Amino acid sequence: MAEVRSVQLLEWKEAPKAAGAYRSVLLVEDEAPFRQVIARNLSGRGLLVREVGTAAEAVTEMTTNCPDLMLLDINLPDRSGWDVMRDLRRLGIDVPTIVVSAVRVNQSRLDEFHPMAYLPKPFPLEALLRLVFRTPGHEANGSSEIENT
C-alpha cells in the first residue's frame, strides 16, 4: 500500500486561483487515507479543501462556511450522505455535490437529490478531477449525471 502523508487543512482564505469554476471544496469522507489522497490532489491544483469525516461535521461546516462544491460519501459513521443532503435542503442550502460511494447507489436516490455526479468507489482519480474541473453546464457525455468509470 502506498504511503499516505497527512494533508494540511486549509482555512477558508484566499488561495491560488484554481482552474475551473470551483475554488472551495468540502470533502466529506470517513476513510482518512482516501480523504487525504483526494484532498492533497485537489489542494495541489489550487482548491481550498476542508475535510470532515461525519455527517454532523458536514452539516455544521456547510452552515458556517459553505463551499462551491461538496464531495460526499454516502456511508458515514453517524448518518448517511443522503441525510446530509436532506438536512441541507431543509436549511435552504444548495451546493453542487458529487456523490462518491462504495455502495451501489439506487437510481431513485439520484432522482430525489440530483447530485451533479455519482462516482462509484473505487474510481480513477482522473475521473474525479474531470468532474471537479469541468465547466458547470457542460456535462461529460451530454447531460449525464453519472460518471461511469
Side-chain angles (χ1 to χ4, degrees):
M1 187 161 136
E3 177 186 40
V4 177
R5 297 185 186 130
S6 63
V7 174
Q8 176 184 356
L9 292 180
L10 298 174
E11 297 299 321
W12 294 113
K13 298 178 186 172
E14 284 299 313
K17 180 74 173 161
Y22 308 111
R23 295 195 53 180
S24 59
V25 177
L26 177 62
L27 175 53
V28 185
E29 169 62 57
D30 61 319
E31 296 177 34
F34 183 66
R35 184 177 66 230
Q36 292 167 349
V37 166
I38 292 173
R40 183 176 55 236
N41 276 277
L42 294 177
S43 63
R45 288 168 173 79
L47 295 175
L48 293 170
V49 179
R50 294 286 297 179
E51 301 175 40
V52 298
T54 68
E57 292 170 331
V59 172
T60 298
E61 190 64 35
M62 290 295 293
T63 58
T64 57
N65 296 304
C66 193
D68 299 325
L69 176 68
M70 179 169 59
L71 303 179
L72 179 64
D73 187 16
I74 295 302
N75 282 342
L76 298 168
D78 54 344
R79 296 172 59 214
S80 76
W82 304 124
D83 293 326
V84 170
M85 293 181 80
R86 192 173 292 113
D87 287 353
L88 296 177
R89 180 186 293 164
R90 189 175 57 247
L91 293 168
I93 299 171
D94 184 25
V95 64
T97 301
I98 297 173
V99 170
V100 293
S101 181
V103 175
R104 186 165 182 84
V105 172
N106 180 317
Q107 183 63 44
S108 65
R109 291 288 194 183
L110 296 173
D111 294 341
E112 178 183 357
F113 293 103
H114 303 286
M116 67 177 264
Y118 159 61
L119 279 176
K121 292 179 190 174
F123 54 83
L125 183 61
E126 294 78 23
L128 177 63
L129 296 175
R130 276 195 312 268
L131 289 168
V132 170
F133 291 102
R134 74 177 177 206
T135 304
H138 295 86
E139 307 295 325
N141 301 322
S143 63
S144 173
E145 290 183 339
I146 310 299
E147 178 76 14
N148 292 317
T149 56

